[in-house]
Amino acid sequence: MQASAAGGGHGRRRGCLPAGRYTFNLDLVKKSFFRLGLGLLLVLQGCQTLKQQEKVASIESTDDARAPVVLPFPEPERVKRELDEDLIYSYLVGEIGAHRGELRLSQTHYQHAAILARDAYAAERATRIALHLKDYQAGLAAARRWVELDPNNIAARQLTAVLFMRDGQSEQAGEQLDALVKIADARGSDGFLQAAGALSLESDRAGAEQLMQGLAERHPGDVRALYALAVLETAHRQFAGAETRLREVIERKPEWEQPRVLLSRVLVAQSERDKALAFLADSVHDNPDSVLLRTSYSRLLVDAGMYPEALEQFRNLYRLKPEDDEIAFGYAMLATQQELWEEARPLWQELRGRPDRQDEASYYLAQVEEQDGNDELAIGLFRSVGGDELKVDAVMRAAQILARTGRLAEARDALQRARIANPGRATDLYIAETQLVQKHADADEALALYATAISAYPDNPDLLYNRALFVVELGDFAWMERDLLKLLEEDPDHADALNALGYTLADRNERLDEAFAYVARALKLRPDSPAILDSMGWVLYRQGDLAQATSYLRRALQLNQDDEIAAHLGEVLWVSGKHADARAVWREGLEHAPDSDKIRSAIERLQASYQ
């Protein structure tokens, strides 16, 4: 049997560029736009961290046009006390002790200053330091004084409730939560969610849920209390209970968006993504102008790999909020991913005018222009990319175009200058240069460049691995084996090296037991890799186990419609006497890759031998 053409279509023996650098990747969409986990939901709805609450609670409105806020608890009369040596000393020791890390000393003196001066700031500092020290008795004493001195402070009520709970005084903790709700209502925020936020990080989850349950029972007519309890249960991964409460909330207040978003996430957490998608689709249908619901739906569609459907949602989001950078960016990324150049281009051009997006937009607009055949414009855009994150990648992309258009020397010069300017990316730039030289110059020049690079970075596995793949394409298996074995000495679990060595042995029909052992080790490390599953199928085929080979190759093809896998599966089916099945696999493979030499070569060789 003939050896397969050099360069496996799914990266088995072909030199590879730095991982994740040269292909459009929707991970950026997920990272930059779809951060709607529980933490963001809490922020969206006002359930912020205690530190954030402190800032909110300490700010009084100064807008004369607004009606004054009527707070529920009378403020104590401020007592003016002259600074004496004792008080100054307590403040100084408290501040200096905190700065130096002498927290016990600091807490004691802040506590003393709070008593002497009746100062809420000192009481707060004493409370927080005691919490950090896990001295809950001292913390409770300080917190009670803080509430006494600043009774309408939300953070004070939150921390005092937590400390009462930790001290086993649930009734008093509940009183603090009731007070918190009253204060928040007066300030125009959601005290139930702020209570859930305060309790969400408590290690005594049952105690926290019991307190929250009690708060909800004391406010049976307020649907916000039920929702906040569901938020807390979600934070505690009590998904079944949270789902029940959220459905009740939605039934009682169907126009409220946030419970719908949280319910979708609860369904996903229970491995019911299809139900979540259907629920959000219905919610968007019923609330077509809701940015929050469409955003959540789009996120879930992207997570499910349903990119055309996600793109349609982004079109609507962009219509609703064209000024939103994040929406425009996600829309542009999805349009680019689906090769809708005319739709993506104006979006990237618009984003280039926004300072925070200029580099990203230039980088992706350059990709659009490159794919649309506008090479010179693409080069200019790649060269305009600044900053640290994308600049080197842009240099490598521009170099690819330069080399492809016959300007290899200019491409190499750009990569070499970038290597000097960016030593942290030197190996990536060396690999990029080797790929260009391999493709557009002679083998000796490429081997000389590999020697230089490996001499400069002898411990870099990517350089060694890529050279091994290159030299076997030149027919030097012994050199490939030396490089891969050296790599495996340093990293016995290098799955790609194991796979490449095992596959190449099988493809050469040599040392098949060794080939099986290498691929089996690789498969144990990466059991769902289509390339390694294909290699295992190919090894088993060479060993004569056609049934097992077919099983592995079918699984590989299900995971990745790769033309080399299709060629292999078709060959095994043909040799097994299943000619109709083989032709069907090859026909489908050619639909995905019409110009595949691997499939056509297999068809011609096997049909010729059959005749």
Side-chain angles (χ1 to χ4, degrees):
M1 184 177 293
Q2 294 178 349
S4 65
H10 40 290
R12 180 180 301 108
R13 292 192 293 142
R14 177 179 295 162
C16 60
L17 295 167
R21 297 288 181 195
Y22 279 63
T23 56
F24 180 84
N25 195 329
L26 275 172
D27 285 346
L28 282 175
V29 178
K30 297 177 183 179
K31 290 178 181 178
S32 67
F33 189 71
F34 297 117
R35 294 168 181 167
L36 283 176
L38 177 63
L40 182 52
L41 283 169
L42 294 176
V43 172
L44 284 170
Q45 299 152 66
C47 186
Q48 304 170 357
T49 64
L50 297 181
K51 187 173 182 180
Q52 291 169 322
Q53 291 294 347
E54 166 207 347
K55 293 179 181 177
V56 172
S58 65
I59 298 174
E60 295 288 348
S61 173
T62 57
D63 189 344
D64 293 335
R66 294 181 182 177
V69 175
V70 179
L71 296 171
F73 299 100
E75 295 285 340
E77 183 179 349
R78 302 299 176 184
V79 178
K80 291 185 178 181
R81 168 171 174 149
E82 297 295 328
L83 291 176
D84 56 26
E85 291 182 2
D86 189 15
L87 187 56
I88 293 172
Y89 178 76
S90 293
Y91 275 116
L92 285 175
V93 173
E95 291 289 345
I96 294 170
H99 181 71
R100 292 181 174 178
E102 298 176 11
L103 298 183
R104 177 66 64 185
L105 180 67
S106 175
Q107 197 276 338
T108 301
H109 281 80
Y110 271 127
Q111 185 90 312
H112 188 55
I115 296 169
L116 289 177
R118 293 187 57 77
D119 178 27
Y121 169 78
E124 177 188 356
R125 293 285 283 170
T127 302
R128 294 187 182 281
I129 294 171
L131 270 171
H132 183 76
L133 293 170
K134 298 183 179 180
D135 186 346
Y136 302 134
Q137 290 297 320
L140 183 56
R144 296 177 74 171
R145 182 164 297 277
W146 184 11
V147 166
E148 175 192 341
L149 297 171
D150 195 359
N152 293 296
N153 186 299
I154 288 176
R157 297 290 184 171
Q158 286 176 309
L159 288 176
T160 306
V162 166
L163 285 162
F164 270 127
M165 189 193 83
R166 292 180 183 179
D167 198 46
Q169 300 185 58
S170 57
E171 183 176 347
Q172 290 87 339
E175 291 173 359
Q176 295 301 316
L177 295 181
D178 288 333
L180 168 60
V181 170
K182 291 179 182 178
I183 298 165
D185 282 346
R187 294 184 182 277
S189 58
D190 188 336
F192 297 103
L193 280 168
Q194 290 167 335
L199 297 173
S200 64
L201 300 178
E202 288 302 292
S203 58
D204 180 6
R205 292 185 171 187
E209 289 166 16
Q210 186 176 2
L211 270 181
M212 201 67 210
Q213 176 79 45
L215 181 63
E217 290 172 354
R218 292 192 296 276
H219 298 80
D222 198 327
V223 71
R224 297 177 303 163
L226 195 61
Y227 175 64
L229 179 55
V231 169
L232 182 62
E233 289 175 326
T234 303
H236 290 170
R237 304 187 66 80
Q238 301 291 332
F239 298 125
E243 180 183 351
T244 300
R245 298 186 202 283
L246 287 167
R247 291 194 183 279
E248 182 180 346
V249 171
I250 292 166
E251 183 178 351
R252 290 170 59 181
K253 194 173 182 180
E255 72 279 7
W256 195 4
E257 298 173 338
Q258 283 87 350
R260 292 177 176 272
V261 174
L262 185 55
L263 177 56
S264 72
R265 299 196 65 81
V266 166
L267 290 171
V268 170
Q270 296 178 96
S271 302
E272 293 183 325
R273 187 169 63 185
D274 289 344
K275 286 186 180 180
L277 284 166
F279 174 75
L280 283 177
D282 290 342
S283 297
V284 168
H285 180 269
D286 294 339
N287 302 272
D289 293 333
S290 170
V291 172
L292 177 61
L293 288 172
R294 280 196 188 274
T295 298
S296 302
Y297 186 34
S298 301
R299 173 200 181 278
L300 200 52
L301 288 168
V302 169
D303 285 347
M306 301 170 68
Y307 301 130
E309 294 85 351
L311 177 60
E312 183 59 33
Q313 293 305 315
F314 263 98
R315 290 189 181 110
N316 285 288
L317 281 167
Y318 186 71
R319 173 182 56 80
L320 292 168
K321 291 194 71 175
E323 74 284 357
D324 190 305
D325 281 9
E326 300 289 356
I327 288 174
F329 183 77
Y331 181 16
M333 290 286 277
L334 282 164
T336 303
Q337 182 262 346
Q338 292 174 63
E339 300 183 1
L340 300 172
W341 312 129
E342 295 308 313
E343 190 169 359
R345 181 180 287 110
L347 294 166
W348 291 125
Q349 288 171 337
E350 177 189 341
L351 285 166
R352 282 193 82 212
R354 304 180 187 180
D356 292 344
R357 293 289 188 184
Q358 185 174 6
D359 289 330
E360 285 176 311
S362 297
Y363 181 79
Y364 289 109
L365 180 58
Q367 290 192 49
V368 169
E369 299 298 353
E370 178 186 0
Q371 294 298 325
D372 212 22
N374 302 318
D375 289 336
E376 295 308 314
L377 180 54
I379 290 170
L381 285 165
F382 279 129
R383 285 174 170 169
S384 75
V385 175
D388 297 327
E389 188 171 349
L390 290 174
K391 185 174 180 62
V392 173
D393 296 333
V395 170
M396 292 190 283
R397 291 297 297 254
Q400 281 186 309
I401 303 173
L402 288 167
R404 175 167 52 77
T405 55
R407 291 171 281 179
L408 179 60
E410 187 179 347
R412 294 188 67 182
D413 180 65
L415 292 171
Q416 289 161 9
R417 284 187 283 108
R419 196 162 60 236
I420 294 169
N422 302 273
R425 297 288 302 278
T427 55
D428 288 347
L429 288 155
Y430 263 127
I431 289 171
E433 188 178 357
T434 60
Q435 305 311 296
L436 296 184
V437 174
Q438 285 175 210
K439 188 172 183 179
H440 300 287
D442 59 48
D444 289 341
E445 197 169 352
L447 290 173
L449 180 59
Y450 270 120
T452 300
I454 291 172
S455 175
Y457 298 94
D459 297 326
N460 185 269
D462 293 334
L463 287 166
L464 202 60
Y465 176 72
N466 277 269
R467 184 174 70 177
L469 303 186
F470 177 57
V471 295
V472 79
E473 290 182 8
L474 302 178
D476 197 332
F477 172 74
W479 192 346
M480 172 197 180
E481 187 172 22
R482 285 196 304 273
D483 276 354
L484 291 181
L485 289 176
K486 181 179 178 182
L487 182 55
L488 289 169
E489 283 179 14
E490 298 296 324
D491 181 7
D493 292 334
H494 195 296
D496 289 328
L498 291 166
N499 183 53
L501 192 49
Y503 173 81
T504 306
L505 284 169
D507 204 46
R508 293 165 60 88
N509 211 11
E510 296 177 2
R511 295 153 51 193
L512 295 179
D513 289 344
E514 278 186 55
F516 180 88
Y518 285 130
V519 176
R521 284 169 58 191
L523 195 59
K524 186 175 181 181
L525 293 165
R526 297 219 308 258
D528 294 321
S529 165
I532 300 174
L533 288 165
D534 175 54
S535 295
M536 179 56 78
W538 202 236
V539 172
L540 291 165
Y541 169 56
R542 292 297 202 188
Q543 290 180 324
D545 191 342
L546 301 183
Q548 281 279 73
T550 301
S551 175
Y552 277 100
L553 290 168
R554 283 196 186 281
R555 185 178 167 204
L557 194 61
Q558 286 174 353
L559 294 169
N560 184 9
Q561 292 292 326
D562 178 80
D563 62 324
E564 184 173 10
I565 300 174
H568 287 164
L569 177 56
E571 180 163 337
V572 174
L573 291 168
W574 184 275
V575 172
S576 301
K578 300 175 181 178
H579 294 177
D581 290 346
R583 290 192 182 98
V585 168
W586 287 329
R587 185 165 53 249
E588 186 176 351
L590 287 171
E591 289 175 3
H592 289 281
D595 299 324
S596 173
D597 292 334
K598 299 177 181 66
I599 295 176
R600 296 190 186 283
S601 174
I603 293 171
E604 293 171 4
R605 173 169 46 81
L606 291 166
Q607 288 186 340
S609 64
Y610 180 72
Q611 294 171 353

